[in-house]
Structures are given as structure tokens and as C-alpha cells.
Amino acid sequence: MADLAIDVRELRKTYRTPFRRKKVEALRGVTFSVERGHIFGFVGPNGAGKTTTIRTLMGLIRPTGGSASLLGHAIPSRAARFKVGFLPESPYFYDYLTVGELLDLAGRLFGVPSDVRKKRADELIETVGLDRARGQSLKKFSKGMLQRAGLAQALMNDPELVVLDEPMSGLDPIGRKEVRDLIVGLRDQGKTVFFSTHILTDVEAITDHVAIIARGALQAQGKPAELVKQTMLGVDIIVRVPDTMSSADTEGLTAGADRVRRVDDELSLTLAADSDVDAWIDRAHAQGAKVIQIAPRHETLEDLFMRQVADREPATKEGVK
Amino acid sequence: MINRIWAIALNTFREAARIRVLYGIMVLVVGANLFAVACGKTSMHEEARIARDVGLAGISLFGSLTAIFLGVFLLYTEVQRRTIHAIVSKPIDRWEFVVGKFVGMALVLTVLVALFGAAMTVVLTWQGVGVSSAIAKALVLAWFEVLTVAAIAIFFSSFSTPFLSGIFALAMWAIGRVTPDIERATKSTSLAIRWTTKVTLEIVPDLHLFSVSGTAVDGSMVSVNGDFVSWDYVAMAAAHGLGWTVALLAFAAILFHRRDFV
């Protein structure tokens, strides 16, 4: 228990629609825990309950049932929030402030002494790459710049735990890479990072632990490598075929294969795991094709995600965040 | 605690100072003072009284409307625009946030009343109408009135939309301003109506306490033109306003504490 940064037990949240008073279950008994010093990815489609879980943890929403604690403090806890940095989803800040003023406000609320506040704000502005936008009001910031400002304000208290709701949202590939590096850097400093996303490549790249949520309930959780099936699902092959190859020969090569795609003289396909790959390669060589790449195909986090989520019934009209 | 409340207050002040409509209100108040002087000129030897009374009424009216405008919008927009998510997720209690918003608004209203008072003094002096200590007392009373009205607006804004909050706050302000008239009007009615009126007036701040010029206080007529209330009276009225302000903010904080920010 002492080593847990976040501990969530049977967390429930039920809303009622304004007029018909219809019940909408946003969270249906969510249970998971996050160890200190880990990067935890919280994955789910839109309306799965990611943001509701995070807002409940941060004291913005009161749970209907269950319990949760941050750094050993039962929520809602002001003591815990001193040690937690939070980036809301699609962050909205006072648009008349500059990034320096925003960080100053955040520092004041965290009780950071004024001399430390200024120094830390300067460092963070540089870290998130907003040095050249210091003088601009947030009104003039792009979505990606706001996301960076949001990350900076979440780090003003030098937190032990950082909770980020969709931190890569609105960022270009370079920005996403920078945020990923920042998250890894935070872990290297001994901090715990809990972030939600629906961008699976980000999760696969940096998380120690992942949980998949759909329709308000946890579908799977564990280390990414343990969650995905280690058995081979097929063999991905790319060959270069000669211009002279007839369409009948091409059809012969691709018969029974999956994910067949041809771009100019490059043919890519996936053979079933139990196929005779050697025989297929011999046949391809005989027809003048040149093998460029052969790679075993294992289950990815995306496959797992689709397996867990795609078959579920569609979200209701009142779908939760 | 004080630092957190002050941080919210300063930010609220900064936000309100950027609302351009406030500058329009300033122009209106100066206009009201000029209108007051013009009214005084058309009267028969009552220039000073009319100029002062109309000028003070302008401060009270526009100050209260500004308080309602700020009160119903500044808290609501925090929730509507979700700027509150990045604030209440920090180590600040929700009641501290509500009090911080009020203190910020109180700062704005204090500056406005001070500017209104200065504008009135300049206009009255320029027109050769004397400025007495009664004006200072009347301004202090107007100041406490707008602070109380701001608390009323924040209270409604903690659970309602700006439109409804505005209507509720305006109604409460209007009723509060004419409490003695309502009491007088229902004096000779049935016991049920008298009791209903009495209970209604008990749950509405008596804002008439703050606007005494030209009316009877303790049986005698008072006016900023001549005899005016004592500083003891001003202190009593201020205590009444502060009591209501604390109670309304406490209720607003309780209601705000129970809200989900989705």
C-alpha cells in the first residue's frame, strides 16, 4: 500500500440526465493501482470513462461509490494535491494571462515561495519550449502551445505524481515525441506519471503498466508485454515483383494471404502463422520476385485494444467522457 | 489559506479589469453626475441637494448593477469555460475559491466606488456645489451596499445560470431597497399577508439601510444636503451588510462544495 501512488477500489459514478432523470453509469466499479515511479497508461475509446476517473481522482467529481487514494491520502485530499500535478483534458486557462502569469498563479496556489516560483517558471517555460511566446497572452496560443503551458503549470509544484489527461492531444508528431520524452524524464527523476490517451503507439512506447477501460469498466490491465499474446499471429512479407509478372501469378502468390497491398512493384501481405513460408518464398523466387522483408507478426496493444473494445456494444447517446 | 485566497482575488481583479463594459459604466456614472448637476440647475434653490442625491443614486444604481453583472458572470464562466478544473485540482478548498472570487470582485467594486466618488466630487466642485462629510458617509454606505449585492449575485451564481442569477439578484436588490415601503403598504392588510411579508423581508437583506438620503431614519428626515446619519449608524449598516455577505458566501461555498465539475 505504501508503494502505491494511486489506489482505486470499485470506483463508481452515476449521473442522472437533467429532465428524464435517467441513470447514466459513467464508472462501474473501476479497480486498479499505480506503483510509485511507474508510467501508467490509461487507455480507452472516447466516452469510456477515462476523464471521469481522472476528474474523480482530482476532486472535481464526487464518486457515487467505491474509494480511491492518491499518495496514501483518501480522495478528496488537499494534502495529496500539494504533491500532485494535473493537466486537464483540452486545458482551458485564463486567456488574458501570459504563460509566466499562469505559472505564477499555479505556484501561488501550491504555496511555492516567490523566489522559487520565478526560477521554476523560467525553467519550465524553457523545458516545454514556450520561451519565444513568453510575452503573448494565452488567447493567442495554438492548441499545442496551450497543451505545453498546461504541462508546465502541472509541474510547478515539483510533484511526486503527475496526472495527465490526454497530454498528446492537439500536438504534432514532434510535439508528441517531446511530451513522451518529458514523461520518461519525469519517471527518471523518480516521479509517477499517470496519463490517459487513445493513442496506442504512445502507450506502447513508454508505459510500464497499462489499463484498458471501456464503457465505464476496466477490461484489462498489466504490463504491456504481458497483456498481448506472445504467440505468433502471422508472417508479414514484403517482396519486389518484376513488371513482367502476370496478374494470374500475382493472384497465385497472394491466395490465402491477408492484408494484401501493392504499391508500384512492391507487394506486401501477411501469411497465416501456420503457413509454409519456405514454400511460399521458393514460389515467389521462381516467379522472379525478390524478398525485401520477412517479419513474424505478434499481437500488438492495438490488437488487444480492438479485441477488448471493438466487440462491445456501442456507447449510449449520453456517453460519458 | 490567505495566500491562496489572495491569489484567486488578484486573478479575479485582473480578469474584471479587462472587461470593457466596466469602462462604459464609468462613463455612465460621470454622465449621471452631469445629469444630476443639470437637474439641480432647473430646481428652485435646491441645486446642491438634487445634484448630490441624484449623483449618489447613480453610484448606488450603477454600482449595484455592476456588482450583479460581475457576480453572476465571473463564477459561472469559471465552470462553463472549465478554467476551474486547473484551479480546484490544486491544494485549494472550494470555499477559499468562492471567497477569493468575492474578494477580487470587492477589489474591483471598491476601485469603482472610489472612482465614482472622485468623479462626483470633481463634478460637484466644478459646478460650485459644496461637498460635505455627509457625502463620505453616503459613499461608505453605497460601498457596503454594492459589496452586499455582489455577495447576493455570487450566492445565486453558485447554483444557477447567469440569466436566472441575474433575475434573482435584481429581484432581491429591488425588494431590499424598498423594505420600509413594503412594510407600510402591507400594514393594514390581513394577518396572513403581514406575516408572509415579514418572513419574506427577513430573508432579504435590508438594502434600504444603505440608501438613507431623503428618507426617514429613526423618525427624522436625513439628507446629504443637511442633517445626515452618524458614523455609528454607518457602522451599524456596515455590520448588517457584512453579516449578510458572510452568510451568503457561506451558503454559496456549501452549494459550490457539492457540485461536480464535469
Side-chain angles (χ1 to χ4, degrees):
Chain A
M1 186 80 175
D3 288 316
L4 294 180
I6 302 177
D7 191 25
V8 176
R9 302 272 158 220
E10 285 298 314
L11 200 64
R12 294 178 181 279
K13 180 64 189 178
T14 305
Y15 293 107
R16 285 194 178 272
T17 54
F19 297 108
R20 297 168 119 188
R21 309 301 293 161
K22 195 181 154 197
K23 272 188 180 177
V24 179
E25 285 189 286
L27 298 178
R28 309 166 189 229
V30 172
T31 299
F32 65 89
S33 56
V34 180
E35 286 179 41
R36 286 184 192 247
H38 278 199
I39 298 176
F40 192 105
F42 197 45
V43 188
N46 293 335
K50 301 189 296 290
T51 296
T52 303
T53 304
I54 288 176
R55 286 182 184 164
T56 307
L57 289 176
M58 296 312 301
L60 298 170
I61 292 174
R62 295 190 312 162
T64 315
S67 64
S69 66
L70 297 179
L71 302 166
H73 302 272
I75 62 156
S77 163
R78 199 158 68 84
R81 293 202 296 268
F82 269 110
K83 296 179 273 185
V84 179
F86 172 54
L87 169 72
E89 182 196 24
S90 307
Y92 297 89
F93 300 115
Y94 303 105
D95 57 10
Y96 48 85
L97 299 180
T98 62
V99 64
E101 289 169 338
L102 174 73
L103 299 194
D104 183 67
L105 173 63
R108 282 170 185 266
L109 294 176
F110 280 124
V112 180
S114 59
D115 51 333
V116 181
R117 216 157 56 217
K118 175 81 175 77
K119 189 168 168 280
R120 196 171 291 166
D122 286 344
E123 286 168 2
L124 285 169
I125 288 170
E126 206 175 311
T127 304
V128 298
L130 289 174
D131 217 16
R132 293 170 69 181
R134 272 172 186 274
Q136 288 179 28
S137 65
L138 299 181
K139 194 186 289 181
K140 293 175 183 160
F141 274 29
S142 67
K143 198 177 173 196
M145 289 164 81
L146 278 176
Q147 201 78 355
R148 289 158 190 262
L151 280 164
Q153 62 83 38
L155 301 175
M156 264 308 279
N157 56 334
D158 192 18
E160 288 178 30
L161 166 66
V162 185
V163 177
L164 310 171
D165 196 357
E166 302 279 1
M168 280 79 159
S169 164
L171 297 177
D172 58 22
I174 296 169
R176 272 173 52 195
K177 167 81 170 60
E178 285 171 357
V179 171
R180 282 204 302 264
D181 291 346
L182 182 73
I183 290 174
V184 172
L186 290 170
R187 179 186 54 191
D188 293 345
Q189 292 169 34
K191 300 179 193 307
T192 310
V193 183
F194 176 89
F195 76 99
S196 73
T197 186
H198 52 253
I199 304 171
L200 295 165
T201 48
D202 293 334
V203 178
E204 243 168 351
I206 59 173
T207 55
D208 301 306
H209 209 95
V210 65
I212 297 175
I213 186 171
R215 295 192 51 76
L218 229 56
Q219 307 300 327
Q221 62 172 317
K223 291 178 181 168
E226 289 171 359
L227 280 177
V228 294
K229 286 178 181 166
Q230 293 304 309
T231 50
M232 198 169 71
L233 298 176
V235 181
D236 291 329
I237 300 177
I238 303 174
V239 291
R240 186 160 293 143
V241 295
D243 296 338
T244 51
M245 184 185 271
S246 68
S247 55
D249 286 344
T250 309
E251 277 171 23
L253 273 181
T254 58
D258 252 351
R259 304 164 190 255
V260 178
R261 194 159 156 257
R262 183 170 178 174
V263 179
D264 298 330
D265 62 345
E266 219 171 80
L267 178 69
S268 59
L269 50 86
T270 302
L271 295 179
D274 57 354
S275 307
D276 186 346
V277 179
D278 290 339
W280 190 93
I281 291 169
D282 289 345
R283 214 164 62 236
H285 278 152
Q287 288 170 5
K290 189 178 171 189
V291 177
I292 296 172
Q293 184 184 306
I294 301 176
R297 180 176 166 74
H298 293 286
E299 188 179 54
T300 62
L301 205 53
E302 185 176 343
D303 297 321
L304 171 72
F305 181 79
M306 295 308 287
R307 189 153 46 84
Q308 295 290 345
V309 172
D311 293 339
R312 314 275 158 187
E313 55 185 303
T316 58
K317 204 175 171 186
E318 295 88 2
V320 294
K321 283 200 166 180
Chain B
M1 177 187 78
I2 298 292
N3 288 340
R4 290 189 293 273
I5 291 174
W6 188 240
I8 298 296
L10 279 183
N11 193 50
T12 305
F13 183 83
R14 204 174 347 214
E15 182 178 7
R18 283 166 168 84
I19 300 174
R20 293 203 177 137
V21 74
L22 293 185
Y23 301 104
I25 290 170
M26 280 298 301
V27 173
L28 278 176
V29 170
V30 173
N33 278 301
L34 291 171
F35 175 71
V37 171
C39 286
K41 296 279 184 205
T42 60
S43 69
M44 299 278 285
H45 311 298
E46 290 287 359
E47 293 91 341
R49 187 179 70 80
I50 289 177
R52 289 166 182 162
D53 282 351
V54 176
L56 280 170
I59 292 175
S60 174
L61 174 69
F62 291 116
S64 296
L65 290 179
T66 309
I68 291 172
F69 175 79
L70 290 178
V72 300
F73 275 106
L74 288 185
L75 196 59
Y76 178 82
T77 49
E78 291 270 4
V79 179
Q80 186 71 2
R81 290 184 189 162
R82 296 187 186 161
T83 45
I84 198 166
H85 288 192
I87 299 295
V88 296
S89 56
K90 294 193 168 48
I92 180 169
D93 285 325
R94 292 193 185 183
W95 72 264
E96 292 174 339
F97 179 77
V98 172
V99 173
K101 293 301 282 185
F102 174 77
V103 172
M105 277 181 234
L107 283 175
V108 176
L109 293 168
T110 302
V111 171
L112 278 179
V113 171
L115 289 173
F116 291 171
M120 186 173 128
T121 306
V122 168
V123 172
L124 290 180
T125 309
W126 173 54
Q127 289 297 313
V129 180
V131 179
S132 66
S133 68
I135 298 282
K137 290 177 192 166
L139 281 173
V140 172
L141 286 171
W143 182 51
F144 276 100
E145 180 185 13
V146 295
L147 295 188
T148 310
V149 173
I152 293 171
I154 285 185
F155 166 71
F156 286 119
S157 163
S158 67
F159 63 89
S160 186
T161 63
F163 179 72
L164 288 177
S165 303
I167 288 177
F168 293 148
L170 268 174
M172 213 156 168
W173 175 66
I175 293 170
R177 287 290 299 235
V178 292
T179 44
D181 301 311
I182 294 173
E183 274 172 347
R184 259 197 308 278
T186 54
K187 219 169 195 173
S188 53
T189 55
S190 69
L191 188 68
I193 292 176
R194 283 207 309 277
W195 271 99
T196 308
T197 307
K198 192 174 167 57
V199 170
T200 306
L201 294 182
E202 284 301 321
I203 57 168
V204 173
D206 184 3
L207 300 175
H208 185 262
L209 281 176
F210 303 108
S211 177
V212 292
S213 185
T215 58
V217 176
D218 297 333
S220 57
M221 286 293 287
V222 295
S223 167
V224 283
N225 189 48
D227 293 332
F228 199 60
V229 292
S230 64
W231 280 111
D232 286 348
Y233 175 90
V234 174
M236 183 274 293
H240 177 85
L242 282 177
W244 270 100
T245 300
V246 170
L248 287 163
L249 290 181
F251 282 122
I254 290 167
L255 292 168
F256 211 62
H257 181 74
R258 299 176 59 82
R259 284 186 69 167
D260 279 343
F261 299 122
V262 290

